[in-house]
Amino acid sequence: MKGIIGRKLGMSQIFDPESGVVTPVTVIEAGPCPVTQVRSVEADGYTAVQLAYEPVADRKITKPEIGHLRKAGVGAHRHLVEFRGEASLAVGDNVTVETFQPGDKIKVAGIGIGKGFAGTIKRHNFHRGPMSHGSHNKRAPGSIGASATPSRVMKGMKMSGHMGAKRRTQVGLTVHSVEPENNLILIKGSVPGPRNGIVEIREEA
């Protein structure tokens, strides 16, 4: 199991002067992430490693979290994430971007960009109605159910509402390069989330 927590700084591109190829990359500032807990099958029923990210003042987290982190010999951190799988890590170890190498296959999870309240055309790719001949159905969703049976709107109907801001995992990504001195990892392509959003990087099984 290889995993790390980071912050998406934004996108850039890298030019290869030899081949003339321009590669779009996402720049992520990841780690160092101290190990705060190691779960085992005997004690917890599954294997996992819990990592912490982004040091903060004690007043910014709860007292139970402070006690949990002090037990691991770690200061206050804002984010705690579990990475499932076998790992040769112990409590107190630090996970850095050097865990990953260029060419590694990974997947990245994060909270997607929130779009606010959106109609059915933007949210669900509905077609608009006719724009002439007195039509009153220009961007309206149309019928959402029958009147007599079932006399109600069924659950799961595609309608207007809050769009985006949901957890998404982008699979099939590749590590382009790693800069340990700056705690940076460059990933080919785009990853979920806004600029400065928190992301979780895992190796792809």
Side-chain angles (χ1 to χ4, degrees):
M1 187 286 303
K2 291 198 292 188
I4 196 169
I5 315 167
R7 184 180 297 278
K8 177 179 173 179
L9 299 183
M11 290 199 69
S12 182
Q13 56 187 18
I14 295 178
F15 176 70
D16 184 359
E18 293 183 4
S19 62
V21 174
V22 176
T23 305
V25 296
T26 301
V27 183
I28 296 176
E29 183 182 28
C33 297
V35 178
T36 55
Q37 191 172 13
V38 177
R39 298 194 180 273
S40 63
V41 175
E42 297 77 19
D44 306 287
Y46 66 98
T47 57
V49 174
Q50 186 185 80
L51 302 182
Y53 178 68
E54 193 177 353
V56 292
D58 287 357
R59 61 184 173 81
K60 300 209 172 194
I61 63 174
T62 64
K63 287 184 178 179
E65 288 174 328
I66 292 174
H68 171 67
L69 292 169
R70 281 181 181 170
K71 185 178 177 182
V74 177
H77 285 69
R78 193 184 298 276
H79 305 284
L80 294 176
V81 177
E82 270 192 6
F83 293 84
R84 289 206 175 198
E86 296 284 347
S88 57
L89 293 170
V91 174
D93 291 351
N94 265 339
V95 177
T96 66
V97 293
E98 293 178 281
T99 306
F100 295 91
Q101 300 297 326
D104 284 355
K105 298 296 182 182
I106 59 171
K107 56 185 177 181
V108 179
I111 305 297
I113 297 173
K115 308 289 186 179
F117 187 92
T120 53
I121 291 179
K122 180 177 179 179
R123 191 181 186 204
H124 299 296
N125 297 318
F126 279 20
H127 291 284
R128 62 175 175 81
M131 300 299 284
S132 60
H133 300 288
S135 170
H136 289 247
N137 184 26
K138 292 183 170 40
R139 292 180 71 90
S143 174
I144 59 173
S147 58
T149 304
S151 297
R152 62 190 175 89
V153 177
M154 302 297 286
K155 286 185 177 180
M157 187 67 61
K158 290 182 178 179
M159 299 171 68
S160 303
H162 188 87
M163 182 179 177
K166 293 184 178 179
R167 180 183 169 88
R168 292 289 181 261
T169 302
Q170 181 68 47
V171 299
L173 297 172
T174 306
V175 176
H176 182 276
S177 58
V178 177
E179 297 181 15
E181 62 278 4
N182 297 319
N183 294 323
L184 297 180
I185 180 168
L186 277 62
I187 299 173
K188 291 181 183 177
S190 60
V191 305
R195 187 177 289 117
N196 292 322
I198 299 297
V199 294
E200 302 161 19
I201 305 172
R202 292 173 169 83
E203 67 175 339
E204 198 163 38

